[in-house]
Amino acid sequence: SPAFLNVNNLINVVRQISFIGIVAMGMTMVIITTGIDLSPGSVIALVSVIAASYAHPGEYPLFVPLAIGMAIGAAAGFINGAISAKGKIPPFIATLGMMTAARGLALLYSDGRPIGNLSESFMFIGKGTVAGIPFPILIFIVMGIISHIMLSQMRFGKYTYAIGGNEQAARICGIPVDRYKIMIFTYAGLLAGIAGLMLTARISAGQPSLGLMYELDAIAAAVIGGTSLNGGIGTIPGTMIGALIIGVLNNGLDLMNVSSYWQQILKGAIIVAAVLLDSRKNKKA
């Protein structure tokens, strides 16, 4: 399509993947520890409706809905990590419970209806531009840099890889595995909260249905970007590239007027193919 290489279209692609990309950064860290997080989409919805109710013009300063949204995301992640690490419940089950509960809380809080009338300063987070660059893209880049430094340069990252490589060996070496698992899930929840704030500002309303299937897109971005479901392998730059691949794929198929149903089928096939390639690579290793 001749419209694909248009500058405005390319900027739009990056802006669209910024939301998924931020969620995928947290998902990458969770997957590196051989875990999985099924709750980001529902956490996004919960953050959306509660933050929106505190973002009406003239009621509260901007930092109030922002702080509330990030706190809710971090709290949800902390609960996921605590249940998984301290309760010895598989992350799949712990986060499945959070996925169901958070979505129910979002519907209960909003009575199943959108919450609108948001302040201009709040909507800037999702719609504003700085020097011609959409603000969501700037947040995506900043969070990517922070997450990359955490994973590649700090003790947090070294312990994350150690837990994913061999959890028992990590315990023997004195690494507080449970504490770091909780920290990893909490950070993933915080990133989901940030994405929820950005999406709410982008659509100018708190939506209890927001974030549907986001966890699957985040997993896809991480896996396509080279994160191994067997744990111990993964990078933030790789995940950012994986998110970009998904964004380019979705945009290209839209421009070619390919049915959204076929897009879902193709995305599913790509995820399976990526996992198969990773599995074969690990066997050879």
Side-chain angles (χ1 to χ4, degrees), residues 90-126:
F92 180 90
I93 301 300
T95 59
L96 180 63
M98 179 59 73
M99 178 182 77
T100 307
R103 183 72 64 181
L105 284 171
L107 291 165
L108 185 66
Y109 185 88
S110 64
D111 200 24
R113 293 193 294 266
I115 299 174
N117 188 31
L118 308 184
S119 67
E120 290 293 329
S121 59
F122 183 82
M123 289 191 291
F124 180 85
I125 300 167

PDB file of all heavy atoms in Angstrom, residues 90-126:
ATOM      1  N   PRO A  90       0.676 -21.611  40.967  1.00  0.00           N
ATOM      2  CA  PRO A  90       1.233 -21.282  39.654  1.00  0.00           C
ATOM      3  C   PRO A  90       0.769 -19.908  39.184  1.00  0.00           C
ATOM      4  O   PRO A  90      -0.401 -19.554  39.360  1.00  0.00           O
ATOM      5  CB  PRO A  90       0.685 -22.395  38.748  1.00  0.00           C
ATOM      6  CG  PRO A  90       0.413 -23.532  39.674  1.00  0.00           C
ATOM      7  CD  PRO A  90      -0.011 -22.918  40.968  1.00  0.00           C
ATOM      8  N   PRO A  91       1.673 -19.107  38.594  1.00  0.00           N
ATOM      9  CA  PRO A  91       1.298 -17.766  38.129  1.00  0.00           C
ATOM     10  C   PRO A  91       0.096 -17.762  37.186  1.00  0.00           C
ATOM     11  O   PRO A  91      -0.702 -16.821  37.201  1.00  0.00           O
ATOM     12  CB  PRO A  91       2.560 -17.291  37.399  1.00  0.00           C
ATOM     13  CG  PRO A  91       3.670 -18.045  38.044  1.00  0.00           C
ATOM     14  CD  PRO A  91       3.102 -19.386  38.389  1.00  0.00           C
ATOM     15  N   PHE A  92      -0.028 -18.829  36.395  1.00  0.00           N
ATOM     16  CA  PHE A  92      -1.168 -18.922  35.471  1.00  0.00           C
ATOM     17  C   PHE A  92      -2.483 -18.831  36.237  1.00  0.00           C
ATOM     18  O   PHE A  92      -3.399 -18.091  35.855  1.00  0.00           O
ATOM     19  CB  PHE A  92      -1.088 -20.243  34.689  1.00  0.00           C
ATOM     20  CG  PHE A  92      -2.208 -20.435  33.706  1.00  0.00           C
ATOM     21  CD1 PHE A  92      -2.090 -19.983  32.391  1.00  0.00           C
ATOM     22  CD2 PHE A  92      -3.395 -21.053  34.084  1.00  0.00           C
ATOM     23  CE1 PHE A  92      -3.119 -20.154  31.487  1.00  0.00           C
ATOM     24  CE2 PHE A  92      -4.437 -21.228  33.175  1.00  0.00           C
ATOM     25  CZ  PHE A  92      -4.293 -20.776  31.886  1.00  0.00           C
ATOM     26  N   ILE A  93      -2.586 -19.559  37.343  1.00  0.00           N
ATOM     27  CA  ILE A  93      -3.824 -19.580  38.132  1.00  0.00           C
ATOM     28  C   ILE A  93      -4.002 -18.277  38.909  1.00  0.00           C
ATOM     29  O   ILE A  93      -5.088 -17.706  38.959  1.00  0.00           O
ATOM     30  CB  ILE A  93      -3.829 -20.787  39.094  1.00  0.00           C
ATOM     31  CG1 ILE A  93      -3.700 -22.098  38.314  1.00  0.00           C
ATOM     32  CG2 ILE A  93      -5.093 -20.775  39.944  1.00  0.00           C
ATOM     33  CD1 ILE A  93      -4.814 -22.345  37.324  1.00  0.00           C
ATOM     34  N   ALA A  94      -2.916 -17.799  39.514  1.00  0.00           N
ATOM     35  CA  ALA A  94      -2.992 -16.568  40.314  1.00  0.00           C
ATOM     36  C   ALA A  94      -3.432 -15.391  39.457  1.00  0.00           C
ATOM     37  O   ALA A  94      -4.316 -14.605  39.855  1.00  0.00           O
ATOM     38  CB  ALA A  94      -1.631 -16.280  40.947  1.00  0.00           C
ATOM     39  N   THR A  95      -2.842 -15.260  38.280  1.00  0.00           N
ATOM     40  CA  THR A  95      -3.183 -14.124  37.424  1.00  0.00           C
ATOM     41  C   THR A  95      -4.511 -14.327  36.705  1.00  0.00           C
ATOM     42  O   THR A  95      -5.165 -13.357  36.332  1.00  0.00           O
ATOM     43  CB  THR A  95      -2.064 -13.861  36.403  1.00  0.00           C
ATOM     44  OG1 THR A  95      -1.858 -15.033  35.594  1.00  0.00           O
ATOM     45  CG2 THR A  95      -0.758 -13.515  37.098  1.00  0.00           C
ATOM     46  N   LEU A  96      -4.907 -15.584  36.510  1.00  0.00           N
ATOM     47  CA  LEU A  96      -6.236 -15.846  35.950  1.00  0.00           C
ATOM     48  C   LEU A  96      -7.309 -15.350  36.906  1.00  0.00           C
ATOM     49  O   LEU A  96      -8.310 -14.746  36.503  1.00  0.00           O
ATOM     50  CB  LEU A  96      -6.409 -17.342  35.687  1.00  0.00           C
ATOM     51  CG  LEU A  96      -7.759 -17.790  35.096  1.00  0.00           C
ATOM     52  CD1 LEU A  96      -7.970 -17.181  33.717  1.00  0.00           C
ATOM     53  CD2 LEU A  96      -7.825 -19.319  35.018  1.00  0.00           C
ATOM     54  N   GLY A  97      -7.081 -15.568  38.212  1.00  0.00           N
ATOM     55  CA  GLY A  97      -8.008 -15.063  39.209  1.00  0.00           C
ATOM     56  C   GLY A  97      -8.064 -13.544  39.205  1.00  0.00           C
ATOM     57  O   GLY A  97      -9.147 -12.947  39.293  1.00  0.00           O
ATOM     58  N   MET A  98      -6.901 -12.896  39.099  1.00  0.00           N
ATOM     59  CA  MET A  98      -6.864 -11.436  39.047  1.00  0.00           C
ATOM     60  C   MET A  98      -7.539 -10.924  37.777  1.00  0.00           C
ATOM     61  O   MET A  98      -8.230  -9.889  37.802  1.00  0.00           O
ATOM     62  CB  MET A  98      -5.408 -10.953  39.104  1.00  0.00           C
ATOM     63  CG  MET A  98      -5.247  -9.441  39.023  1.00  0.00           C
ATOM     64  SD  MET A  98      -6.092  -8.550  40.349  1.00  0.00           S
ATOM     65  CE  MET A  98      -5.018  -8.934  41.737  1.00  0.00           C
ATOM     66  N   MET A  99      -7.348 -11.616  36.672  1.00  0.00           N
ATOM     67  CA  MET A  99      -7.974 -11.212  35.416  1.00  0.00           C
ATOM     68  C   MET A  99      -9.497 -11.148  35.565  1.00  0.00           C
ATOM     69  O   MET A  99     -10.146 -10.180  35.153  1.00  0.00           O
ATOM     70  CB  MET A  99      -7.604 -12.206  34.298  1.00  0.00           C
ATOM     71  CG  MET A  99      -8.255 -11.900  32.957  1.00  0.00           C
ATOM     72  SD  MET A  99      -7.838 -13.109  31.679  1.00  0.00           S
ATOM     73  CE  MET A  99      -8.915 -14.463  32.164  1.00  0.00           C
ATOM     74  N   THR A 100     -10.075 -12.167  36.190  1.00  0.00           N
ATOM     75  CA  THR A 100     -11.524 -12.222  36.373  1.00  0.00           C
ATOM     76  C   THR A 100     -11.992 -11.193  37.397  1.00  0.00           C
ATOM     77  O   THR A 100     -12.968 -10.462  37.165  1.00  0.00           O
ATOM     78  CB  THR A 100     -11.942 -13.631  36.829  1.00  0.00           C
ATOM     79  OG1 THR A 100     -11.418 -14.597  35.924  1.00  0.00           O
ATOM     80  CG2 THR A 100     -13.455 -13.760  36.881  1.00  0.00           C
ATOM     81  N   ALA A 101     -11.281 -11.109  38.528  1.00  0.00           N
ATOM     82  CA  ALA A 101     -11.695 -10.211  39.607  1.00  0.00           C
ATOM     83  C   ALA A 101     -11.575  -8.742  39.209  1.00  0.00           C
ATOM     84  O   ALA A 101     -12.480  -7.933  39.495  1.00  0.00           O
ATOM     85  CB  ALA A 101     -10.866 -10.491  40.857  1.00  0.00           C
ATOM     86  N   ALA A 102     -10.464  -8.368  38.571  1.00  0.00           N
ATOM     87  CA  ALA A 102     -10.253  -6.965  38.194  1.00  0.00           C
ATOM     88  C   ALA A 102     -11.289  -6.502  37.176  1.00  0.00           C
ATOM     89  O   ALA A 102     -11.798  -5.374  37.258  1.00  0.00           O
ATOM     90  CB  ALA A 102      -8.838  -6.778  37.639  1.00  0.00           C
ATOM     91  N   ARG A 103     -11.615  -7.361  36.225  1.00  0.00           N
ATOM     92  CA  ARG A 103     -12.643  -6.997  35.244  1.00  0.00           C
ATOM     93  C   ARG A 103     -13.994  -6.832  35.928  1.00  0.00           C
ATOM     94  O   ARG A 103     -14.749  -5.894  35.625  1.00  0.00           O
ATOM     95  CB  ARG A 103     -12.722  -8.065  34.140  1.00  0.00           C
ATOM     96  CG  ARG A 103     -13.708  -7.761  33.021  1.00  0.00           C
ATOM     97  CD  ARG A 103     -13.236  -6.660  32.109  1.00  0.00           C
ATOM     98  NE  ARG A 103     -12.025  -7.027  31.389  1.00  0.00           N
ATOM     99  CZ  ARG A 103     -11.393  -6.231  30.545  1.00  0.00           C
ATOM    100  NH1 ARG A 103     -11.856  -5.008  30.313  1.00  0.00           N
ATOM    101  NH2 ARG A 103     -10.283  -6.619  29.939  1.00  0.00           N
ATOM    102  N   GLY A 104     -14.301  -7.723  36.874  1.00  0.00           N
ATOM    103  CA  GLY A 104     -15.549  -7.613  37.618  1.00  0.00           C
ATOM    104  C   GLY A 104     -15.605  -6.333  38.441  1.00  0.00           C
ATOM    105  O   GLY A 104     -16.639  -5.657  38.494  1.00  0.00           O
ATOM    106  N   LEU A 105     -14.477  -5.978  39.078  1.00  0.00           N
ATOM    107  CA  LEU A 105     -14.415  -4.743  39.860  1.00  0.00           C
ATOM    108  C   LEU A 105     -14.598  -3.517  38.970  1.00  0.00           C
ATOM    109  O   LEU A 105     -15.251  -2.542  39.362  1.00  0.00           O
ATOM    110  CB  LEU A 105     -13.078  -4.652  40.597  1.00  0.00           C
ATOM    111  CG  LEU A 105     -12.923  -5.542  41.834  1.00  0.00           C
ATOM    112  CD1 LEU A 105     -11.480  -5.518  42.320  1.00  0.00           C
ATOM    113  CD2 LEU A 105     -13.860  -5.080  42.947  1.00  0.00           C
ATOM    114  N   ALA A 106     -14.012  -3.554  37.768  1.00  0.00           N
ATOM    115  CA  ALA A 106     -14.158  -2.432  36.829  1.00  0.00           C
ATOM    116  C   ALA A 106     -15.623  -2.245  36.424  1.00  0.00           C
ATOM    117  O   ALA A 106     -16.137  -1.116  36.385  1.00  0.00           O
ATOM    118  CB  ALA A 106     -13.293  -2.663  35.591  1.00  0.00           C
ATOM    119  N   LEU A 107     -16.300  -3.346  36.159  1.00  0.00           N
ATOM    120  CA  LEU A 107     -17.722  -3.284  35.786  1.00  0.00           C
ATOM    121  C   LEU A 107     -18.571  -2.825  36.968  1.00  0.00           C
ATOM    122  O   LEU A 107     -19.514  -2.039  36.812  1.00  0.00           O
ATOM    123  CB  LEU A 107     -18.184  -4.655  35.288  1.00  0.00           C
ATOM    124  CG  LEU A 107     -17.603  -5.101  33.940  1.00  0.00           C
ATOM    125  CD1 LEU A 107     -17.827  -6.588  33.728  1.00  0.00           C
ATOM    126  CD2 LEU A 107     -18.234  -4.305  32.797  1.00  0.00           C
ATOM    127  N   LEU A 108     -18.227  -3.300  38.160  1.00  0.00           N
ATOM    128  CA  LEU A 108     -18.972  -2.930  39.356  1.00  0.00           C
ATOM    129  C   LEU A 108     -18.792  -1.446  39.671  1.00  0.00           C
ATOM    130  O   LEU A 108     -19.758  -0.738  39.968  1.00  0.00           O
ATOM    131  CB  LEU A 108     -18.500  -3.783  40.538  1.00  0.00           C
ATOM    132  CG  LEU A 108     -19.252  -3.623  41.861  1.00  0.00           C
ATOM    133  CD1 LEU A 108     -20.679  -4.123  41.723  1.00  0.00           C
ATOM    134  CD2 LEU A 108     -18.533  -4.401  42.969  1.00  0.00           C
ATOM    135  N   TYR A 109     -17.552  -0.967  39.595  1.00  0.00           N
ATOM    136  CA  TYR A 109     -17.251   0.423  39.925  1.00  0.00           C
ATOM    137  C   TYR A 109     -17.952   1.392  38.971  1.00  0.00           C
ATOM    138  O   TYR A 109     -18.442   2.443  39.395  1.00  0.00           O
ATOM    139  CB  TYR A 109     -15.746   0.647  39.878  1.00  0.00           C
ATOM    140  CG  TYR A 109     -15.297   2.015  40.323  1.00  0.00           C
ATOM    141  CD1 TYR A 109     -15.023   2.275  41.661  1.00  0.00           C
ATOM    142  CD2 TYR A 109     -15.133   3.051  39.405  1.00  0.00           C
ATOM    143  CE1 TYR A 109     -14.609   3.537  42.084  1.00  0.00           C
ATOM    144  CE2 TYR A 109     -14.726   4.313  39.811  1.00  0.00           C
ATOM    145  CZ  TYR A 109     -14.463   4.549  41.145  1.00  0.00           C
ATOM    146  OH  TYR A 109     -14.059   5.803  41.551  1.00  0.00           O
ATOM    147  N   SER A 110     -17.968   1.046  37.692  1.00  0.00           N
ATOM    148  CA  SER A 110     -18.525   1.947  36.677  1.00  0.00           C
ATOM    149  C   SER A 110     -19.981   1.647  36.338  1.00  0.00           C
ATOM    150  O   SER A 110     -20.571   2.338  35.509  1.00  0.00           O
ATOM    151  CB  SER A 110     -17.697   1.841  35.396  1.00  0.00           C
ATOM    152  OG  SER A 110     -17.808   0.529  34.851  1.00  0.00           O
ATOM    153  N   ASP A 111     -20.526   0.604  36.985  1.00  0.00           N
ATOM    154  CA  ASP A 111     -21.883   0.156  36.669  1.00  0.00           C
ATOM    155  C   ASP A 111     -22.005  -0.238  35.193  1.00  0.00           C
ATOM    156  O   ASP A 111     -23.066  -0.108  34.583  1.00  0.00           O
ATOM    157  CB  ASP A 111     -22.910   1.233  37.011  1.00  0.00           C
ATOM    158  CG  ASP A 111     -24.324   0.668  37.169  1.00  0.00           C
ATOM    159  OD1 ASP A 111     -24.440  -0.542  37.457  1.00  0.00           O
ATOM    160  OD2 ASP A 111     -25.298   1.419  36.986  1.00  0.00           O
ATOM    161  N   GLY A 112     -20.879  -0.685  34.632  1.00  0.00           N
ATOM    162  CA  GLY A 112     -20.873  -1.151  33.246  1.00  0.00           C
ATOM    163  C   GLY A 112     -20.920  -0.052  32.215  1.00  0.00           C
ATOM    164  O   GLY A 112     -21.082  -0.323  31.014  1.00  0.00           O
ATOM    165  N   ARG A 113     -20.768   1.223  32.640  1.00  0.00           N
ATOM    166  CA  ARG A 113     -20.870   2.350  31.700  1.00  0.00           C
ATOM    167  C   ARG A 113     -19.548   3.118  31.647  1.00  0.00           C
ATOM    168  O   ARG A 113     -18.812   3.166  32.641  1.00  0.00           O
ATOM    169  CB  ARG A 113     -21.991   3.289  32.119  1.00  0.00           C
ATOM    170  CG  ARG A 113     -23.381   2.679  32.011  1.00  0.00           C
ATOM    171  CD  ARG A 113     -24.460   3.756  32.137  1.00  0.00           C
ATOM    172  NE  ARG A 113     -24.455   4.342  33.467  1.00  0.00           N
ATOM    173  CZ  ARG A 113     -25.237   3.917  34.465  1.00  0.00           C
ATOM    174  NH1 ARG A 113     -26.061   2.890  34.280  1.00  0.00           N
ATOM    175  NH2 ARG A 113     -25.191   4.510  35.651  1.00  0.00           N
ATOM    176  N   PRO A 114     -19.280   3.777  30.501  1.00  0.00           N
ATOM    177  CA  PRO A 114     -18.062   4.587  30.403  1.00  0.00           C
ATOM    178  C   PRO A 114     -18.125   5.802  31.324  1.00  0.00           C
ATOM    179  O   PRO A 114     -19.211   6.303  31.622  1.00  0.00           O
ATOM    180  CB  PRO A 114     -18.015   5.022  28.937  1.00  0.00           C
ATOM    181  CG  PRO A 114     -19.218   4.477  28.279  1.00  0.00           C
ATOM    182  CD  PRO A 114     -20.034   3.733  29.253  1.00  0.00           C
ATOM    183  N   ILE A 115     -16.962   6.282  31.756  1.00  0.00           N
ATOM    184  CA  ILE A 115     -16.865   7.476  32.588  1.00  0.00           C
ATOM    185  C   ILE A 115     -16.128   8.541  31.782  1.00  0.00           C
ATOM    186  O   ILE A 115     -14.936   8.406  31.508  1.00  0.00           O
ATOM    187  CB  ILE A 115     -16.122   7.180  33.909  1.00  0.00           C
ATOM    188  CG1 ILE A 115     -16.870   6.113  34.713  1.00  0.00           C
ATOM    189  CG2 ILE A 115     -15.942   8.451  34.729  1.00  0.00           C
ATOM    190  CD1 ILE A 115     -16.142   5.650  35.950  1.00  0.00           C
ATOM    191  N   GLY A 116     -16.829   9.577  31.384  1.00  0.00           N
ATOM    192  CA  GLY A 116     -16.259  10.605  30.515  1.00  0.00           C
ATOM    193  C   GLY A 116     -15.991  11.908  31.241  1.00  0.00           C
ATOM    194  O   GLY A 116     -15.779  11.933  32.442  1.00  0.00           O
ATOM    195  N   ASN A 117     -15.992  13.004  30.471  1.00  0.00           N
ATOM    196  CA  ASN A 117     -15.749  14.354  30.982  1.00  0.00           C
ATOM    197  C   ASN A 117     -14.395  14.451  31.662  1.00  0.00           C
ATOM    198  O   ASN A 117     -14.271  14.808  32.836  1.00  0.00           O
ATOM    199  CB  ASN A 117     -16.865  14.780  31.955  1.00  0.00           C
ATOM    200  CG  ASN A 117     -16.748  16.246  32.359  1.00  0.00           C
ATOM    201  OD1 ASN A 117     -16.278  17.066  31.572  1.00  0.00           O
ATOM    202  ND2 ASN A 117     -17.172  16.568  33.572  1.00  0.00           N
ATOM    203  N   LEU A 118     -13.341  14.157  30.919  1.00  0.00           N
ATOM    204  CA  LEU A 118     -11.985  14.192  31.459  1.00  0.00           C
ATOM    205  C   LEU A 118     -11.328  15.546  31.178  1.00  0.00           C
ATOM    206  O   LEU A 118     -11.638  16.209  30.192  1.00  0.00           O
ATOM    207  CB  LEU A 118     -11.135  13.076  30.843  1.00  0.00           C
ATOM    208  CG  LEU A 118     -11.711  11.663  30.908  1.00  0.00           C
ATOM    209  CD1 LEU A 118     -10.705  10.662  30.352  1.00  0.00           C
ATOM    210  CD2 LEU A 118     -12.097  11.292  32.330  1.00  0.00           C
ATOM    211  N   SER A 119     -10.415  15.935  32.041  1.00  0.00           N
ATOM    212  CA  SER A 119      -9.745  17.224  31.888  1.00  0.00           C
ATOM    213  C   SER A 119      -8.782  17.198  30.701  1.00  0.00           C
ATOM    214  O   SER A 119      -8.290  16.140  30.303  1.00  0.00           O
ATOM    215  CB  SER A 119      -8.972  17.566  33.165  1.00  0.00           C
ATOM    216  OG  SER A 119      -7.891  16.664  33.356  1.00  0.00           O
ATOM    217  N   GLU A 120      -8.516  18.383  30.162  1.00  0.00           N
ATOM    218  CA  GLU A 120      -7.597  18.502  29.022  1.00  0.00           C
ATOM    219  C   GLU A 120      -6.191  18.059  29.410  1.00  0.00           C
ATOM    220  O   GLU A 120      -5.494  17.424  28.620  1.00  0.00           O
ATOM    221  CB  GLU A 120      -7.575  19.950  28.515  1.00  0.00           C
ATOM    222  CG  GLU A 120      -8.848  20.399  27.828  1.00  0.00           C
ATOM    223  CD  GLU A 120      -9.086  19.665  26.514  1.00  0.00           C
ATOM    224  OE1 GLU A 120      -8.079  19.300  25.863  1.00  0.00           O
ATOM    225  OE2 GLU A 120     -10.250  19.454  26.150  1.00  0.00           O
ATOM    226  N   SER A 121      -5.774  18.406  30.621  1.00  0.00           N
ATOM    227  CA  SER A 121      -4.421  18.037  31.056  1.00  0.00           C
ATOM    228  C   SER A 121      -4.259  16.524  31.137  1.00  0.00           C
ATOM    229  O   SER A 121      -3.194  15.980  30.813  1.00  0.00           O
ATOM    230  CB  SER A 121      -4.109  18.676  32.411  1.00  0.00           C
ATOM    231  OG  SER A 121      -5.041  18.256  33.396  1.00  0.00           O
ATOM    232  N   PHE A 122      -5.315  15.822  31.555  1.00  0.00           N
ATOM    233  CA  PHE A 122      -5.249  14.363  31.623  1.00  0.00           C
ATOM    234  C   PHE A 122      -5.226  13.769  30.214  1.00  0.00           C
ATOM    235  O   PHE A 122      -4.446  12.860  29.930  1.00  0.00           O
ATOM    236  CB  PHE A 122      -6.446  13.810  32.403  1.00  0.00           C
ATOM    237  CG  PHE A 122      -6.423  12.317  32.582  1.00  0.00           C
ATOM    238  CD1 PHE A 122      -5.682  11.729  33.591  1.00  0.00           C
ATOM    239  CD2 PHE A 122      -7.123  11.487  31.714  1.00  0.00           C
ATOM    240  CE1 PHE A 122      -5.641  10.349  33.748  1.00  0.00           C
ATOM    241  CE2 PHE A 122      -7.088  10.115  31.855  1.00  0.00           C
ATOM    242  CZ  PHE A 122      -6.350   9.546  32.877  1.00  0.00           C
ATOM    243  N   MET A 123      -6.066  14.293  29.322  1.00  0.00           N
ATOM    244  CA  MET A 123      -6.138  13.740  27.969  1.00  0.00           C
ATOM    245  C   MET A 123      -4.860  13.986  27.175  1.00  0.00           C
ATOM    246  O   MET A 123      -4.588  13.287  26.196  1.00  0.00           O
ATOM    247  CB  MET A 123      -7.349  14.313  27.229  1.00  0.00           C
ATOM    248  CG  MET A 123      -8.681  13.791  27.749  1.00  0.00           C
ATOM    249  SD  MET A 123     -10.088  14.215  26.701  1.00  0.00           S
ATOM    250  CE  MET A 123     -10.191  15.993  26.964  1.00  0.00           C
ATOM    251  N   PHE A 124      -4.053  14.953  27.604  1.00  0.00           N
ATOM    252  CA  PHE A 124      -2.775  15.218  26.936  1.00  0.00           C
ATOM    253  C   PHE A 124      -1.881  13.984  26.959  1.00  0.00           C
ATOM    254  O   PHE A 124      -1.105  13.743  26.029  1.00  0.00           O
ATOM    255  CB  PHE A 124      -2.065  16.388  27.624  1.00  0.00           C
ATOM    256  CG  PHE A 124      -0.737  16.742  27.016  1.00  0.00           C
ATOM    257  CD1 PHE A 124      -0.675  17.590  25.926  1.00  0.00           C
ATOM    258  CD2 PHE A 124       0.446  16.203  27.517  1.00  0.00           C
ATOM    259  CE1 PHE A 124       0.553  17.911  25.342  1.00  0.00           C
ATOM    260  CE2 PHE A 124       1.673  16.512  26.946  1.00  0.00           C
ATOM    261  CZ  PHE A 124       1.727  17.369  25.861  1.00  0.00           C
ATOM    262  N   ILE A 125      -2.009  13.173  28.018  1.00  0.00           N
ATOM    263  CA  ILE A 125      -1.172  11.971  28.155  1.00  0.00           C
ATOM    264  C   ILE A 125      -1.354  11.035  26.966  1.00  0.00           C
ATOM    265  O   ILE A 125      -0.409  10.386  26.521  1.00  0.00           O
ATOM    266  CB  ILE A 125      -1.518  11.223  29.457  1.00  0.00           C
ATOM    267  CG1 ILE A 125      -1.271  12.130  30.663  1.00  0.00           C
ATOM    268  CG2 ILE A 125      -0.709   9.934  29.589  1.00  0.00           C
ATOM    269  CD1 ILE A 125      -1.873  11.589  31.940  1.00  0.00           C
ATOM    270  N   GLY A 126      -2.565  10.968  26.441  1.00  0.00           N
ATOM    271  CA  GLY A 126      -2.836  10.057  25.330  1.00  0.00           C
ATOM    272  C   GLY A 126      -2.925  10.722  23.980  1.00  0.00           C
ATOM    273  O   GLY A 126      -2.794  10.055  22.949  1.00  0.00           O
TER     274      GLY A 126
END
